Amino acid sequence: MGIARGALLTDQYQLTMAQLYFRYGLHEREARFEHFFRKNPDYGDHESGYAVNAGWGWLGRWAARSRFGEEERAALLSHAADGHRLFDADFVDWLGEVSWDALRYETIPEGRVVHPNVPITVVEGPLGVAQLLETSLLNHLNFHILIATKAARVVGVARGGRVLEFGLRRGPDEGGIAATRAAFIGGADASSNVGISHEMGILPQGTHAHSMVQVFMALGEGELGAFRAYAEMYPDECLLLVDTIDTLESGIPNAITVFEELRKKGHHPLGIRLDSGDLAHLAVRASQMLDGAGFDDVAIVLSSSLDELTMFQILTQIAEEAPRYGEDADRVIGRLVYGVGTKMITSDGQPYLDGVYKLVAIDGDGEWRPAIKVSDTPAKMVNPGRKVVRRLYDQRGLANVDLMSLADEDLAYPLQIHHHHETGISRTLEQARVSEVEQLLEKALLEPPVDDPAVVSEARIRRVADLERLDPGVKRLVNPHVYHVSITRRLADLKRDLAANAR
Amino acid sequence: MGIARGALLTDQYQLTMAQLYFRYGLHEREARFEHFFRKNPDYGDHESGYAVNAGWGWLGRWAARSRFGEEERAALLSHAADGHRLFDADFVDWLGEVSWDALRYETIPEGRVVHPNVPITVVEGPLGVAQLLETSLLNHLNFHILIATKAARVVGVARGGRVLEFGLRRGPDEGGIAATRAAFIGGADASSNVGISHEMGILPQGTHAHSMVQVFMALGEGELGAFRAYAEMYPDECLLLVDTIDTLESGIPNAITVFEELRKKGHHPLGIRLDSGDLAHLAVRASQMLDGAGFDDVAIVLSSSLDELTMFQILTQIAEEAPRYGEDADRVIGRLVYGVGTKMITSDGQPYLDGVYKLVAIDGDGEWRPAIKVSDTPAKMVNPGRKVVRRLYDQRGLANVDLMSLADEDLAYPLQIHHHHETGISRTLEQARVSEVEQLLEKALLEPPVDDPAVVSEARIRRVADLERLDPGVKRLVNPHVYHVSITRRLADLKRDLAANAR
C-alpha cells in the first residue's frame, strides 16, 4: 500500500515545525488546538444554515493504522536538501515513539448539528504531537462534515422518501468511501457502494444499468428480453431501469409486461427507475401507467443529477402536474425513492469545508496562556484560550445560541453575550428565557470504533433529534436564517486585549 | 483496513448484473467497453478547452490489491434480502477466480491532452469481468483526469513560476492522495503532502504555519523570536510566513532582520510567504522591501485561495502596480512561487468529471456486434462499435481533430468527417492539409507501475509536448475555442442505422 495513507498523510510543514519544537525543547509542552470551520457550505445558488458533524470514528480508523514506522522514518531520513539531511536522526527516533494516545480529545459527537466558529474538536497535549495530527485531522473531518451536511439537506427535502447514495463512479477517488459513510450519518438510507456498506452494516442497493439492456439488445433479445431475464433471476427484487430506449413508449410498457408475469407467479415487483428526461413529468406518467396495471404500490426511483434543489423543484412540479393526469400528488410523491449521486458525494457547488485547526492556548511554565492569531479580517481572528461550548435552548425548546466561554468561567444570569467577532453586537439573556443548557464537547478517544455501524446508527439518531430542535428558518434551503454563535463578555475582553498586545 | 478499498469498491448493480450474466452463460462472452467523458470541466465562471489524461497507473495499484478474496466473498454471501441470499454460492465461487488480467486494455497514455467523447480507455474481454471493473475504473480515472486538468490550467498561467500543491487539509479525505499524484501529472512541481510525494520521488515542500509564530508569541518571544528560531534550525532552507501579525509592518521587517543575520553567517535565505491580504499589492511591496535590503533573489511564495483565474488577475495587477513602486513587474513576477491548495485539489466549481464507461460492442456468436444506447439527447448517444482514434495534425503541426473510425475501416483521402453527434455538420479534409496522423490508444497492462515516479515524470513530458501542439485558442482560460472531435462517414452511418433500429 505504500506510505501515503499512514502517518505521512500530512503536510511537510508539520514535520519541520515538529522538529523545531523538538530541537528547542518545546515538543512536550502542553498545547491546545481547536478545530472549527468558519462558514457553512455555500453551494453558489443556495447555502446551508447549519452543518452536521461527522468523521471522528473515521479519523480513529486512520490513527490506529498510522505510526511513524520504519518505512516512514526511512523516507524522512532520505529527505536531503542541498545534500544535507533535513530531519535529524534524534528527531526521527522521537517520531518513532509518537503515539496519538499522548493527546487528550474532546469532540461534539458525530451526527450532531454544528455551527461556524464553534470548536467541534479539541486536541490537548504535547505540542509536537498535536501539531503532527493537524493535517490528517482536517483532511478526514472537514470532508466528512461537508458530505454529511449535504446529505442532511438532500434527506431534508425527500419527505420521508428513501435516499440512496449512488455517487462512487464520479466521487473523489477513494475519498468516495468516506463520503458514503458520511452520507449515512447525514441520513442516506443506503448506498450502492458495496464494501463500505457492508462494513457499516447497511445492505448495498442496486439493480442493473443500461449496459445490461444494451447487451440483450445487441444479442437480438431487446429490452423485454433483458427485463424478463432480470425478473427471472431476481423475482423478489425486481426493479427495472426503463429509459434505455424510450421511457414511456418502451421501458414502462415492457416493465409492466414483466411485472404482470411476475404477479402471475406470485411475486411482488419492487419498482422502476427513471434516469433521464423530465423526471417530474415522467414520475407522474409512470405512476399513472403503473396504477392502470394494478401496480399502485411499486416504487419509482428517480436518479440523474439530483441534489436538494432539483428534488425540491421536482416535488413542486409533481404537485402541479399530477392532478392533470388524474393522479394524487401526495401518492406519487409517497412512492418516490431518490438515487442521489455525483452532486451529493462531491458536495457540488462547494466541494470543501473551510475547517481550520488553530492553537488557542499553550502552557507557559505551569499555567495556560491563551494564544491568538490576529488578522485584518475580524471574522478570521481566533477566539483564544481554553473554552467550553454550551448550547442554550429557548422556551420553545429550540436551540437558540451556541455560546463559547472560558473554561474557568462561571455563567451568571442575566448573561451578557457578544457576537463571536463583531465587537459592537451584544445582548442580554435572562434565565427565564433559557429552558435548557447543554455542554456540546465530550471527552473522546481517538481510536477505531469497536462497532462503527452502531456509531453511525447513533449519529443518525442524534442528527434527527438536533434537526427537530433547530429553528425551521435555519433549515431553509435557500437564504437561511443565521443561527446565533456568541461569546461571553470575559472571552470578548480577553480577545480584544490579546489582539491589542499582539499589534 | 476492512473490505471497502478492494474489489468491493464497486456499485451493487455491477454484482447483480454479473450474476445475471453468469446465470445466463453470458459472463464469458467477449465485450468491449469504452471510457470517455462528455464535457470538459466547466468551473462556472470559466471552463477548460481540453483535459489531461491521468490515473491509469493509479488504477493499476488498485487492481493489484483487489481480488474477491475470502472476506469479500463472505460479505456477499451474507447479503440476504427478505431472508434469502441475493448471491448464489456458484457465482461467488466464480468471483473468487476473477482476475483483471482476463481483460485486454488500451489507453491514451497519462499526461496526454484528451478531448470529450473520445475513448481514452478501452476494456475488452469477458463481459462479466469487464462489467465488474466499471465502478473502480471510473472512480479512479475520472478524479485523476479532473485534477490533472485543473493543475495544468494553474501551471499554464504561472509563467514558469513553481506551483506547489498545498491542498491536503481540505481535500476529499484520502482522495487527496490521488489528487496529489494527479496534480504532478498536471504540472505541479511539488506538494506539501509528504507520503505520496516520497512515493513519487518528488521532495515534499513546506516550512512553517501561523501556529509556530503563535507559540513563540504566547511564550513572550514574539514573531522575531519565532523567525530567529526557524532560521537557526533551517539556515539554508529559511522561508518565513510573514502575515501572522501584520505583513508590511511586522512580518517582512522581521524577516529581513533575520535574513540579514543569516547573510552574516554565510547563509542564503530562500524567501517569504504571503498568505492573506491583497497578494498582488503585497507581492510588489514585499519585492521592494526585499530589494531595498539587498535580497533581490529570494522568492515570494503566494498562497490563499489561489486558482488559475485569481493567479491571472494577480499577475495583471502586478504588471500595473509594480512601476508605481519603482519595481520591474517582470522581475516581481519572476520571483513568485504559487502555493495552490483547496481550489486545485477539489477542482472548485466543477468537482467531478462526467466520465462514463459504455458498452460499445459484444460478441454475437463469433462476430462483434456494435451496441448502442439511444437517447433523446443526441450528444448522449454512444458512438457504437470497436473504434480506433487518430489525432490529425495540420500544416502548422498543431492538433486539428481527434477522429474516431471503425477498427476495420481504412482511411482514404479526401476524408469526409462528421461532427461526433450533430448529424448535419461535416467537412472534407484533403491529404495535403494533414501533416501527421497519430494513433492515440495504446495497448496497456492493468498493473501497478514498476516505477511510478518514472511514469509520472514521463506523463509530465507528454503533457508539455501535447500542450505545445494545441491551438492557443483551445488553451484560453475563459471561453476557449472548441477542439474538433469527429467521426468517419462509416461510423456516422452505423450510428444512425443502429439508433433507428433500436427505436
Side-chain angles (χ1 to χ4, degrees), chain A residues 30-33 358-363 368-371 384-386, chain B residues 218:
Chain A
E30 289 279 302
R32 177 183 176 107
F33 288 82
K358 292 289 178 189
L359 180 78
V360 295
I362 187 160
D363 176 17
W368 284 102
R369 294 200 194 157
R386 301 178 76 224

Side-chain angles (χ1 to χ4, degrees), chain B residues 13-222:
Chain B
Y13 69 8
Q14 314 291 7
L15 292 161
T16 48
M17 286 191 284
Q19 172 163 283
L20 183 145
Y21 296 144
F22 179 80
R23 190 62 61 221
Y24 288 93
L26 294 169
H27 59 299
E28 291 186 329
R29 195 171 279 246
E30 288 279 302
R32 178 182 175 106
F33 287 82
E34 291 178 353
H35 164 231
F36 59 95
F37 59 93
R38 292 200 171 103
K39 282 172 57 187
N40 284 315
D42 179 344
Y43 311 98
D45 46 9
H46 54 307
E47 72 267 47
S48 192
Y50 66 92
V52 173
N53 197 27
W56 182 256
W58 195 249
L59 180 68
R61 285 178 162 223
W62 171 85
R65 66 167 196 265
S66 298
R67 295 285 176 273
F68 292 92
E70 266 183 53
E71 267 191 289
E72 284 82 1
R73 299 202 303 274
L76 296 179
L77 289 174
S78 77
H79 190 139
D82 293 331
H84 67 272
R85 224 181 234 181
L86 190 66
F87 298 111
D88 298 327
D90 59 346
F91 168 66
V92 175
D93 284 347
W94 174 76
L95 284 180
E97 290 157 25
V98 161
S99 162
W100 308 122
D101 296 340
L103 301 168
R104 302 177 300 282
Y105 305 95
E106 291 176 279
T107 179
I108 300 179
E110 294 195 79
R112 293 218 61 175
V113 165
V114 287
H115 298 285
N117 299 295
V118 173
I120 45 188
T121 320
V122 174
V123 175
E124 255 185 30
L127 173 60
V129 184
Q131 189 72 64
L132 288 170
L133 185 63
E134 174 177 356
T135 297
S136 178
L137 182 148
L138 292 176
N139 171 263
H140 289 97
L141 298 186
N142 284 340
F143 185 67
H144 238 82
I145 296 169
L146 181 75
I147 303 303
T149 302
K150 187 73 172 177
R153 291 170 57 79
V154 166
V155 169
V157 296
R159 298 212 209 157
R162 297 185 78 215
V163 170
L164 311 177
E165 185 280 301
F166 276 178
L168 186 58
R169 289 166 305 147
R170 292 173 184 173
D173 197 78
E174 294 173 24
I177 302 169
T180 298
R181 182 181 182 275
F184 289 151
I185 292 175
D189 294 286
S191 165
S192 61
N193 187 345
V194 180
I196 188 67
S197 292
H198 279 292
E199 285 195 21
M200 293 301 123
I202 295 174
L203 284 185
Q205 300 290 310
T207 57
H208 72 89
H210 298 114
S211 59
M212 191 196 82
V213 179
Q214 286 178 267
V215 166
F216 282 81
M217 283 168 63
L219 297 176
E221 312 234 7

Side-chain angles (χ1 to χ4, degrees), chain A residues 97-247:
Chain A
E97 289 157 25
V98 161
S99 162
W100 309 122
D101 296 339
L103 300 168
R104 302 177 300 281
Y105 305 96
E106 292 176 279
T107 179
I108 300 179
E110 294 194 79
R112 293 217 61 175
V113 164
V114 288
H115 298 285
N117 299 294
V118 173
I120 45 188
T121 320
V122 175
V123 175
E124 255 185 30
L127 173 61
V129 184
Q131 189 72 64
L132 288 170
L133 184 63
E134 174 177 358
T135 297
S136 179
L137 182 148
L138 292 175
N139 172 262
H140 289 98
L141 298 187
N142 284 340
F143 185 67
H144 239 82
I145 296 169
L146 181 75
I147 303 304
T149 302
K150 187 74 171 177
R153 292 170 56 78
V154 166
V155 169
V157 295
R159 298 213 210 157
R162 299 185 77 213
V163 171
L164 311 177
E165 185 279 302
F166 276 178
L168 186 58
R169 287 167 305 148
R170 292 171 184 175
D173 198 78
E174 295 173 24
I177 302 168
T180 298
R181 182 182 181 276
F184 289 151
I185 292 176
D189 293 286
S191 166
S192 61
N193 186 344
V194 180
I196 188 66
S197 292
H198 279 292
E199 286 195 21
M200 293 300 123
I202 295 174
L203 284 185
Q205 300 289 311
T207 57
H208 72 89
H210 298 115
S211 59
M212 191 196 81
V213 179
Q214 287 177 267
V215 165
F216 282 81
M217 283 168 62
L219 297 177
E221 312 235 5
E223 189 182 54
L224 187 60
F227 286 0
R228 280 202 173 113
Y230 194 84
E232 193 165 325
M233 180 77 227
Y234 304 108
D236 296 302
E237 295 91 22
C238 188
L239 198 151
L240 299 169
L241 174 63
V242 294
D243 72 330
T244 305
I245 300 168
D246 185 302
T247 302

Side-chain angles (χ1 to χ4, degrees), chain B residues 429-497:
Chain B
L429 209 53
E430 304 289 340
Q431 187 152 19
R433 289 184 51 206
V434 178
S435 66
E436 185 187 339
V437 177
E438 185 187 26
Q439 295 265 4
L440 291 184
L441 287 162
E442 299 182 4
K443 282 192 171 49
L445 295 173
L446 184 61
E447 58 186 22
V450 177
D451 183 357
D452 207 14
V455 168
V456 167
S457 163
E458 287 156 20
R460 292 163 64 90
I461 294 167
R462 283 188 208 103
R463 187 197 76 257
V464 171
D466 271 7
L467 285 173
E468 272 175 15
R469 300 187 76 179
L470 196 60
D471 192 287
V474 176
K475 291 186 278 191
R476 222 164 30 221
L477 273 193
V478 177
N479 194 22
H481 189 70
V482 176
Y483 183 82
H484 291 292
V485 172
S486 302
I487 59 179
T488 58
R489 171 75 181 267
R490 240 188 87 196
L491 180 51
D493 288 347
L494 174 68
K495 190 174 176 179
R496 186 197 56 214
D497 294 347

